[in-house]
Amino acid sequence: MSLIPLTSRSNATYQSLRALAEDRRARRQAGATLIDGEHLLEAALAAGIAPRRLVFAAGALESRLAGWQARLPGVPQLLLSDALFATLSPVDSPTGLLAEIAIPAVVNETAQFVVLLEDIQDPGNLGALLRTAAAAGVEQAWLSTACADAWSPKCLRGGQGAHFRLAIQERADLAAVARRYPVHAAVLGAPQSLFDLDLRGAAGFAFGNEGAGLSEALCACSSPFSIPMSDRVESLNVAAAAAVCLFERVRQRRA
């Protein structure tokens, strides 16, 4: 399929792409998002997600990115000037390749290892947490309504392809989910240590807002534990705490 040049900011197609790049509501309404670069595109394809269209910067045609034209010949392809492309890219140094994909809406009904994420505000933190979860073998991620947008370009970059290896459900009722699993919640001062938990079977972990932590409602549906740490440090970043907790289950199941 030949490249279609797109030169005007007033073009309707450009406007729709700009909305996907910047607006959570637009992404939700369209059921689509933009992914940046070859790595995320490869991850999406490996998960069986075909792009709706490819967007190239003019400069990309002088690099290996031009190979994607031939690799996905049936996918509509747009060509933008480097300057216009930069307005869509989530990074300061654009890769030269974007792809529009449908947002997967999946729930893993048989998941044995899950995370419940409540009101995580920073998209970079959320992406890093999802990446950690995928690496630890988590199968399902449940996100509260007030979480950052899991499918924003910044969160997708932080996840580095993890989004396509997890079932992700946004706008979830976490208290209802917590009644379906043995869910553990890190709470400062809780008498039980993380390392005393038996995590060899089905398990869930709840992680909360960077500042406020977990809500009382979710804590009431979870089993509290603490992460042993130096008394000179008050707490961990939520993504770091998640890594400690999730990989403790990995350790126990391999012991």
Side-chain angles (χ1 to χ4, degrees):
M1 183 172 291
S2 61
L3 284 165
I4 300 173
L6 196 160
T7 59
S8 172
R9 291 173 182 257
S10 62
N11 179 281
T13 299
Y14 169 80
Q15 292 294 330
S16 69
L17 292 170
R18 185 73 180 265
L20 293 181
E22 298 180 351
D23 189 342
R24 180 176 192 169
R25 180 177 296 180
R27 288 190 289 270
R28 184 177 300 137
Q29 290 177 343
T33 191
L34 293 180
I35 56 176
D36 175 74
E38 290 184 282
H39 176 73
L40 288 181
L41 181 52
E42 290 280 14
L45 290 171
I49 299 170
R52 293 178 173 180
R53 57 185 154 196
L54 300 178
V55 183
F56 293 93
L61 300 186
E62 301 172 4
S63 72
R64 69 176 186 278
L65 294 177
W68 285 96
Q69 290 180 260
R71 184 170 172 183
L72 297 172
V75 177
Q77 301 175 8
L78 304 177
L79 179 66
L80 279 64
S81 69
D82 290 346
L84 197 59
F85 184 93
T87 65
L88 301 177
S89 176
V91 295
D92 293 334
S93 299
T95 64
L97 173 64
L98 294 167
E100 179 184 341
I101 63 165
I103 295 174
V106 293
V107 173
N108 185 341
E109 297 288 356
T110 62
Q112 295 294 296
F113 192 18
V114 303
V115 290
L116 286 66
L117 307 179
E118 184 174 52
D119 302 359
I120 307 296
Q121 297 294 296
D122 183 83
N125 261 354
L126 180 58
L129 207 160
L130 292 172
R131 185 179 184 183
T132 298
V138 169
E139 299 155 287
Q140 174 80 55
W142 303 91
L143 280 59
S144 71
T145 300
C147 264
D149 182 6
W151 297 96
S152 70
K154 186 173 182 180
C155 186
L156 281 158
R157 285 191 63 82
Q160 288 293 299
H163 291 66
F164 308 119
R165 298 192 293 272
L166 287 165
I168 299 173
Q169 180 62 48
E170 296 187 285
R171 304 169 67 83
D173 181 343
L174 298 188
V177 174
R179 298 186 187 101
R180 297 166 48 188
Y181 296 93
V183 172
H184 307 282
V187 176
L188 288 174
Q192 187 173 36
S193 163
L194 166 67
F195 304 124
D196 294 329
L197 302 178
D198 183 352
L199 302 172
R200 292 169 294 178
F205 281 98
F207 302 105
N209 177 274
E210 292 89 342
L214 292 170
S215 66
E216 291 185 9
L218 187 51
C219 282
C221 303
S222 308
S223 300
F225 69 91
S226 59
I227 301 173
M229 65 181 74
S230 168
D231 57 11
R232 291 176 292 180
V233 178
E234 180 181 342
S235 62
L236 292 172
N237 168 280
V238 65
V244 173
C245 296
L246 299 178
F247 277 92
E248 172 59 13
R249 183 176 188 265
V250 175
R251 185 196 68 79
Q252 288 189 20
R253 287 173 62 85
R254 292 186 178 181

